[in-house]
Amino acid sequence: MVSYWATICAYNLKNPLNTLKYSVHAFNYADDANKPILQEYRVISYQMLESNQAFERELRVGVRDYPSHDFFFVNLNDLIYSQRRYDEGISLADSMLALDSNKSIYWYGKSIMNLGKQDFDKCIEFSDSCLSKDPNYVDAYFNKGISYCNLALIAQENANKDKNGAVSLEDYKKIQDFYSKAKPCMEMVRKIQPENKERWAHALYRIYLYLNMGKEFDEIDKLLKN
């Protein structure tokens, strides 16, 4: 019991070494509701100490022992993504989906890793899976919208053009279809996060420009200039 309260005190005093020292025995006293919190303290302490290997190790312990405590998956997923270990991130998400296929955050994990791999079709697929579980998951809308924008850019680069540089009608329709599908996604990002202009304004500028949506384009153009 003393170790438990010593761990709490050390953590609140921002003393990572003592947090780690006392937490080893604190688990023997803590109940099931507080054990994930103690593990979270250990993760944060190693982060404060800039001990990257131990930070990842303790995140993995948290994911294994306390899978319902999202802190561990979210931070491990972010770490893996930041290091571009995309296939490893997909495997992590799959292992969690095997435990709970209804949890939107695990589908998002697959979505973001496929975005990193530039596999835009799969990113869209798993964004849809995420949104089927949580229709307001803004990051999934963003991933889906950006994927469609990227598919449009690829189609533009590969489009057949005449000697004057005009895109063939067939390819033009294909590009337009990608931007049309990106439009509601990025508009939803704007609706959910109106203050986060950097996230949606440039994408909507490009979408409205290509779709010849004059009124909407003018509004975004003015917004970007302010």
Side-chain angles (χ1 to χ4, degrees):
M1 183 171 58
V2 171
S3 294
Y4 176 81
W5 289 110
T7 303
I8 304 299
C9 290
Y11 179 79
N12 288 331
L13 290 169
K14 296 181 170 57
N15 186 327
L17 290 176
N18 278 343
T19 301
L20 294 168
K21 175 182 176 182
Y22 295 118
S23 65
V24 173
H25 299 291
F27 283 96
N28 295 324
Y29 172 78
D31 58 23
D32 289 343
N34 285 313
K35 284 180 180 179
I37 305 301
L38 288 176
Q39 184 62 26
E40 191 174 320
Y41 289 172
R42 288 182 60 80
V43 168
I44 294 170
S45 295
Y46 279 119
Q47 187 176 36
M48 291 172 66
L49 293 169
E50 298 182 354
S51 180
N52 297 332
Q53 192 171 18
F55 172 66
E56 179 172 347
R57 182 193 69 223
E58 295 300 314
L59 280 173
R60 290 187 179 280
V61 170
V63 168
R64 182 195 69 203
D65 293 348
Y66 315 107
S68 62
H69 196 71
D70 291 340
F71 171 87
F72 304 112
F73 175 79
V74 169
N75 282 275
L76 183 56
N77 190 70
D78 287 347
L79 175 65
I80 291 171
Y81 181 79
S82 71
Q83 296 177 353
R84 301 183 180 183
R85 293 150 52 189
Y86 304 128
D87 288 331
E88 186 178 339
I90 291 170
S91 295
L92 172 65
D94 282 337
S95 69
M96 302 307 289
L97 284 166
L99 298 176
D100 186 355
S101 63
N102 288 315
K103 205 157 187 178
S104 57
I105 197 170
Y106 302 152
W107 291 108
Y108 171 74
K110 294 197 73 171
S111 165
I112 191 66
M113 293 301 167
N114 278 287
L115 182 62
K117 290 180 68 175
Q118 298 186 14
D119 191 335
F120 302 120
D121 290 324
K122 284 189 177 180
C123 178
I124 291 165
E125 176 188 346
F126 296 124
S127 295
D128 282 336
S129 297
C130 176
L131 292 167
S132 72
K133 310 302 179 186
D134 181 357
N136 293 310
Y137 207 116
V138 64
D139 293 331
Y141 281 114
F142 178 81
N143 287 358
K144 184 177 177 180
I146 287 299
S147 291
Y148 276 125
C149 285
N150 284 327
L151 287 171
L153 283 175
I154 293 169
Q156 284 178 266
E157 291 172 0
N158 297 329
N160 293 315
K161 302 178 179 68
D162 62 23
K163 62 181 180 181
N164 296 316
V167 175
S168 70
L169 180 60
E170 182 181 354
D171 284 334
Y172 176 81
K173 288 181 177 179
K174 182 178 179 181
I175 297 162
Q176 192 176 46
D177 182 59
F178 284 136
Y179 280 124
S180 295
K181 289 177 178 177
K183 175 179 170 291
C185 302
M186 299 313 297
E187 287 178 336
M188 186 60 76
V189 175
R190 181 181 187 180
K191 180 180 179 180
I192 298 172
Q193 295 182 331
E195 75 291 344
N196 198 351
K197 184 172 70 173
E198 290 300 314
R199 200 167 199 206
W200 45 261
H202 290 283
L204 285 176
Y205 178 95
R206 181 150 47 99
I207 291 165
Y208 292 151
L209 176 64
Y210 199 89
L211 295 178
N212 294 318
M213 300 178 66
K215 179 182 176 182
E216 291 82 357
F217 174 81
D218 289 342
E219 188 258 341
I220 288 289
D221 188 44
K222 290 177 184 177
L223 190 149
L224 284 170
K225 289 176 180 176
N226 292 336

